[in-house]
Amino acid sequence: MAESKRRGEDAVDERLDEELDQEALSDDAADDDVDSGADGAGDASADRPRRGTGGDRSTRTPVTRTKSGERPNPFARIRNFIREVISELGKVIWPTRKELLTYTAVVIVFVAIIMTIVGLLDAGFAWLVLHVFGTKSA
């Protein structure tokens, strides 16, 4: 089941694909404008493809805007956020019980080893400080 989620179509974010396609189209149009300029002779930058020319970004509307250009009310924004969270949680590949137990055991063993090392260093430094500075006898 995890393999089907990893490679299935559920893992594709369609909205992101549409945005990337629109940016690619605007990049292609910007490249065509550069290429169709003057004769291009003597212009070294005309031979190189331009990167990051997605058009004028100030004319783009943010994703949070509605079709009428207004921001949705706070409750609609919260509802959209919760829907997106649930959608993303559906894409998560949850570990199986065996994987979960294995990961838990690895973490517990690692923490025990680190605790032992830190405890031994603490005891060693405490012993060293006591022997270097000694105890004050009255």
Side-chain angles (χ1 to χ4, degrees):
M1 174 144 176
E3 288 295 320
S4 65
K5 284 186 179 180
R6 284 187 188 128
R7 295 195 176 100
E9 292 180 15
D10 292 339
V12 177
D13 188 358
E14 294 175 8
R15 186 177 66 196
L16 181 60
D17 287 343
E18 290 173 5
E19 289 176 9
L20 291 175
D21 289 342
Q22 289 174 355
E23 286 183 18
L25 289 175
S26 65
D27 286 346
D28 291 342
D31 288 342
D32 290 343
D33 291 344
V34 169
D35 292 340
S36 66
D39 59 27
D43 187 11
S45 64
D47 296 336
R48 287 183 281 158
R50 299 181 80 194
R51 287 189 164 163
T53 56
D56 185 14
R57 295 194 184 269
S58 64
T59 60
R60 293 184 184 175
T61 57
V63 178
T64 59
R65 304 253 180 203
T66 60
K67 291 180 182 177
S68 64
E70 298 175 2
R71 292 184 87 175
N73 67 32
F75 296 111
R77 292 170 60 199
I78 291 171
R79 185 187 70 228
N80 289 340
F81 174 76
I82 291 173
R83 283 182 180 173
E84 290 178 9
V85 167
I86 292 171
S87 171
E88 290 298 322
L89 284 176
K91 297 176 186 178
V92 172
I93 300 172
W94 298 100
T96 63
R97 184 172 184 83
K98 182 178 177 183
E99 290 173 336
L100 184 65
L101 292 174
T102 302
Y103 298 154
T104 304
V106 167
V107 168
I108 289 173
V109 168
F110 180 75
V111 168
I113 290 171
I114 296 300
M115 282 176 46
T116 304
I117 292 171
V118 170
L120 289 174
L121 286 173
D122 182 48
F125 284 124
W127 178 84
L128 183 68
V129 167
L130 284 176
H131 281 292
V132 168
F133 296 109
T135 57
K136 201 174 201 182
S137 357

